[in-house]
Amino acid sequence: QLQLAESGGGSVQAGGSLRLSCVASGRAFAAYTVGWFRQAPGKEREFVATISWSGANTDTSDSVKGRFTVRRDIHQNAVHLQMNNLKSEDTAVYYCAAVHGSSATVAKSASEYDYWGQGTQVTVAS
């Protein structure tokens, strides 16, 4: 089965940037739709971004649109989430997830994903 590992989290001041990475093992990341989700304490897990396995199609939530960018690197077997202009409300544990899909498929619902990483903490100071 596919295994996922997130990295790149940390603490940053509001307005700063972080780059998260999701590295796959066990299988090639090709042929998997990938999503990023986040969960703050006491909050529901929410969609952040998704990318099709071809890398051609992406989508982001309204709350991060224009600030976050998701990109796939097939040769690194990784998907990256570039987060710019971070806000305090972005503070959460960020998870990557994957599901087998068609080349153009993106997915925004957590229930659609079969594989999940352990998460990486992002803390944004006011």
Side-chain angles (χ1 to χ4, degrees):
Q1 294 186 1
L2 189 71
Q3 294 177 297
L4 306 175
E6 304 96 336
S7 63
S11 298
V12 65
Q13 291 184 320
S17 298
L18 286 172
R19 185 197 191 207
L20 305 185
S21 296
C22 176
V23 178
S25 61
R27 297 180 183 177
F29 232 167
Y32 286 87
T33 296
V34 174
W36 284 96
F37 295 80
R38 65 188 183 187
Q39 188 166 24
K43 302 290 186 179
E44 296 289 330
R45 185 168 297 187
E46 66 174 347
F47 166 76
V48 176
T50 182
I51 185 168
S52 63
W53 69 256
S54 72
N57 295 324
T58 64
D59 198 10
T60 54
S61 69
D62 290 342
S63 63
V64 307
K65 200 175 297 291
R67 299 187 296 120
F68 292 10
T69 302
V70 62
R71 182 182 65 84
R72 180 185 292 268
D73 188 333
I74 295 297
H75 292 99
Q76 293 183 351
N77 222 23
V79 168
H80 307 290
L81 183 68
Q82 180 66 46
M83 306 187 296
N84 297 325
N85 193 25
L86 284 160
K87 305 175 180 180
S88 60
E89 51 262 49
D90 295 319
T91 295
V93 176
Y94 283 71
Y95 300 88
C96 69
V99 63
H100 189 271
S102 67
S103 62
T105 299
V106 295
K108 298 170 67 175
S109 175
S111 65
E112 297 181 77
Y113 289 91
D114 294 324
Y115 306 99
W116 292 83
Q118 294 299 304
T120 185
Q121 177 71 47
V122 171
T123 302
V124 184
S126 300

